[in-house]
Amino acid sequence: MLRRYLYKFISIILLIPTIWVLFQLEFEKPSLKLMPDIKYIGKIQPLSIDISDRKTGLRKIYVGIGQNGKDKIIHSQSFPYSLLRKDRVHQVNLNLEIEPRNLGFRDGEATLTVSVKDYSLNRFFRGNHTLIKRKVIIDTLPPRLTVLTPLNYLNQGGSGLIIYEAHEEIAQSGIRMGDLFFPGFKGKLSQKEVYLVYFAVPYNASFPIKMNLVAKDYAGNETVVEFPYHVRKKIFKKDEIQLSQDFLSKVKTRFGSKSQSPDSPLEIFLWVNGRLRSQNHRRILEICSKTHQRPLWDGPFLRMKRSKSMAGYADERTYYYNGKPVDRQVHLGIDLASTAHSPVEAANNGIVAFADDLGIYGNTIILDHGLGLFSMYGHLSNIQVTTGQKVRKGEVIGYTGSTGLAGGDHLHFSMMVSGVFVNPIEWWDRHWIQDNVVTKLRNVGRY
Ligand SMILES: [Zn+2]
């Protein structure tokens, strides 16, 4: 009798730790997420790690870096044990900074180790283990660039081209001018791997103009390089536009429903000329943000045949109504008039980036000529192409009209460099292209 009780007692005594062991035994590894998904380590490299363990909880974290047999701890942490699972640590977000130079490492290959263990009794009480051992490249030096275009004469409102060489792999480069950034594109010239960046000096740029060539490598190191340039100031024309009752009622008929308020014809005009204009320009900027990675164009751009310039690039227009100035806007293209419904040709080879209604510009076509260069055709009566279509220089893409905010039949022609409106006259000019593009491309082999 006594023996039976003893057996029962012993088995209960044994059962408790067995249940406890089984309860503490699980096979789910801690989860780990590195941000960024690191491959390069820059001079001061930020690294965030999200670590979690749903079941038995975190026990130990180790983050280290090693090179040529030398290992350095970046972060090491142990977490307290508690009998109750819910009182243990299940989630940690580490925000680390690695400074490889301060740790005594050199630029080159290294190994990043992240090790996390939990409180499971798995692996003979050592816990589930998540281990990341990753080859990384320590790169603390900014990329070196050589500018291959020593002469750069630019016009206010004009375009420019800089060609440069990078002496290491670069992630992003281009020209920075205040808030503007013009991206550079990789290409091959005279057997050399080079970068080309087309950029613009906006018509309203404030002098002195400050711009730099900048490049970032994959480790995030940035180089800022000066290059020689000279910008010629330009004085743009001032123009006066008298708003007739007749024109305002046309504008009301066309845009009245869009302005969404029963305003007077003048107020509708002011909304179209101001708010709608900026909306349309934001859309153009967006369209110009995706471009072909190779140049598609060849030679000077075509100016519409047998046409007369009715308004110029960057003309400052003051709008008068009943003798009083009511608005002021800048005209960002050239108006060309010929006979009504004249054929409009593609100014150069390209891909149709947009072919639709574009507010104040009416029926509009935008062509992508590659490397950030675009041409635009507004107020068309008819569009003959569709988005994505390839067009050849001289091909008829539409017909002139007076759609949008146009008083009469004409073509509004604009050119954009990475979304910035530039003076099209340069791109029509064989000599300008020769001096500013062709000669520069040809000279690359000499450096
Ligand atoms: Zn125009």
Side-chain angles (χ1 to χ4, degrees):
M1 198 64 183
L2 189 72
R3 247 172 105 147
R4 259 181 69 189
Y5 276 116
L6 194 66
Y7 275 135
K8 216 168 192 172
F9 181 73
I10 288 172
S11 46
I12 285 168
I13 289 287
L14 283 174
L15 200 61
I16 290 167
T18 309
I19 289 169
W20 183 83
V21 164
L22 285 174
F23 191 60
Q24 298 309 315
L25 181 68
E26 45 91 3
F27 305 95
E28 194 174 301
K29 287 183 174 190
S31 90
L32 246 183
K33 198 178 168 213
L34 305 186
M35 289 169 299
D37 191 30
I38 202 161
K39 288 181 185 72
Y40 291 86
I41 293 184
K43 201 170 174 187
I44 303 171
Q45 179 64 51
L47 173 63
S48 294
I49 312 177
D50 277 358
I51 302 163
S52 63
D53 190 85
R54 285 195 312 148
K55 293 190 172 161
T56 42
L58 295 168
R59 180 188 207 157
K60 207 168 167 31
I61 294 174
Y62 168 87
V63 183
I65 189 162
Q67 189 181 47
N68 302 326
K70 184 170 78 180
D71 288 290
K72 287 280 168 103
I73 300 169
I74 295 164
H75 185 86
S76 173
Q77 195 173 4
S78 296
F79 299 93
Y81 181 74
S82 164
L83 269 175
L84 292 173
R85 279 187 179 196
K86 70 172 177 63
D87 293 337
R88 295 176 208 158
V89 177
H90 291 273
Q91 187 157 6
V92 168
N93 302 307
L94 293 178
N95 288 302
L96 308 172
E97 239 170 32
I98 309 171
E99 292 184 62
R101 287 288 183 91
N102 290 354
L103 295 169
F105 292 125
R106 292 204 191 136
D107 277 21
E109 267 197 6
T111 306
L112 177 75
T113 304
V114 183
S115 155
V116 182
K117 286 174 188 163
D118 67 10
Y119 270 115
S120 168
L121 298 178
N122 186 22
R123 303 195 313 133
F124 297 101
F125 304 92
R126 283 177 300 156
N128 294 310
H129 188 199
T130 300
L131 178 69
I132 292 181
K133 263 191 185 293
R134 182 177 290 188
K135 283 255 177 293
V136 287
I137 292 172
I138 297 175
D139 179 0
T140 60
L141 295 173
R144 273 191 319 113
L145 301 180
T146 308
V147 176
L148 305 174
T149 41
L151 284 174
N152 301 291
Y153 290 103
L154 308 161
N155 294 307
Q156 187 179 352
S159 309
L161 165 66
I162 298 286
I163 307 168
Y164 52 98
E165 215 180 338
H167 302 283
E168 71 166 274
E169 219 29 74
I170 49 176
Q172 194 200 35
S173 66
I175 287 176
R176 191 157 60 203
M177 193 188 308
D179 296 336
L180 296 175
F181 182 76
F182 301 91
F185 297 89
K186 201 175 184 171
K188 208 167 184 182
L189 277 177
S190 311
Q191 302 307 311
K192 246 186 210 176
E193 273 216 342
V194 294
Y195 287 82
L196 273 76
V197 54
Y198 285 99
F199 64 102
V201 179
Y203 74 91
N204 57 353
S206 48
F207 283 78
I209 288 163
K210 179 114 185 65
M211 56 182 141
N212 290 103
L213 184 60
V214 294
K216 244 186 202 174
D217 62 21
Y218 286 97
N221 304 300
E222 191 183 75
T223 302
V224 179
V225 177
E226 307 245 334
F227 62 90
Y229 58 86
H230 177 76
V231 185
R232 273 171 291 220
K233 273 195 187 184
K234 291 272 167 190
I235 293 164
F236 299 106
K237 221 180 91 194
K238 287 194 191 315
D239 201 6
E240 290 180 0
I241 290 180
Q242 306 294 334
L243 298 169
S244 68
Q245 207 67 55
D246 188 39
F247 179 66
L248 290 191
S249 37
K250 261 189 208 155
V251 172
K252 187 179 172 166
T253 316
R254 274 180 213 170
F255 296 99
S257 59
K258 283 186 186 146
S259 79
Q260 287 165 350
S261 58
D263 298 320
S264 71
L266 179 64
E267 279 169 301
I268 290 170
F269 168 81
L270 293 175
W271 177 85
V272 171
N273 209 29
R275 291 282 289 276
L276 187 61
R277 181 184 294 269
S278 354
Q279 260 178 44
N280 298 154
H281 287 172
R282 277 199 299 276
R283 181 88 180 91
I284 292 168
L285 194 64
E286 190 192 312
I287 294 162
C288 296
S289 66
K290 293 178 251 350
T291 184
H292 197 73
Q293 303 289 305
R294 299 248 169 263
L296 298 166
W297 63 283
D298 185 28
F301 282 67
L302 302 178
R303 182 187 182 281
M304 188 167 72
K305 284 178 194 151
R306 294 177 291 279
S307 65
K308 221 174 109 193
S309 288
M310 305 304 282
Y313 166 82
D315 282 0
E316 194 191 282
R317 292 173 157 178
T318 306
Y319 298 80
Y320 287 85
Y321 182 62
N322 287 339
K324 274 188 295 190
V326 289
D327 203 6
R328 193 164 282 163
Q329 295 294 342
V330 177
H331 185 242
L332 297 172
I334 297 181
D335 287 347
L336 300 166
S338 182
T339 47
H341 298 246
S342 285
V344 172
E345 299 174 339
N348 220 314
N349 307 331
I351 296 169
V352 179
F354 181 88
D356 204 347
D357 176 67
L358 190 59
I360 63 163
Y361 296 107
N363 292 328
T364 302
I365 298 171
I366 298 177
L367 299 183
D368 175 11
H369 302 289
L371 312 191
L373 188 57
F374 289 81
S375 61
M376 172 175 144
Y377 314 77
H379 308 310
L380 304 175
S381 57
N382 188 293
I383 290 175
Q384 299 278 316
V385 290
T386 50
T387 306
Q389 186 182 329
K390 272 192 178 169
V391 293
R392 306 288 304 166
K393 186 171 173 172
E395 187 179 326
V396 173
I397 52 173
Y399 292 88
T400 63
S402 54
T403 54
L405 196 58
D409 187 298
H410 75 276
L411 170 71
H412 173 98
F413 182 75
S414 285
M415 291 219 35
M416 292 82 78
V417 174
S418 288
V420 176
F421 288 94
V422 293
N423 196 341
I425 287 179
E426 291 182 338
W427 295 98
W428 285 336
D429 180 357
R430 180 174 297 278
H431 298 289
W432 184 87
I433 296 217
Q434 187 64 35
D435 296 346
N436 294 280
V437 181
V438 179
T439 307
K440 282 183 174 179
L441 294 173
R442 194 184 294 141
N443 282 347
V444 162
R446 296 194 196 152
Y447 293 95

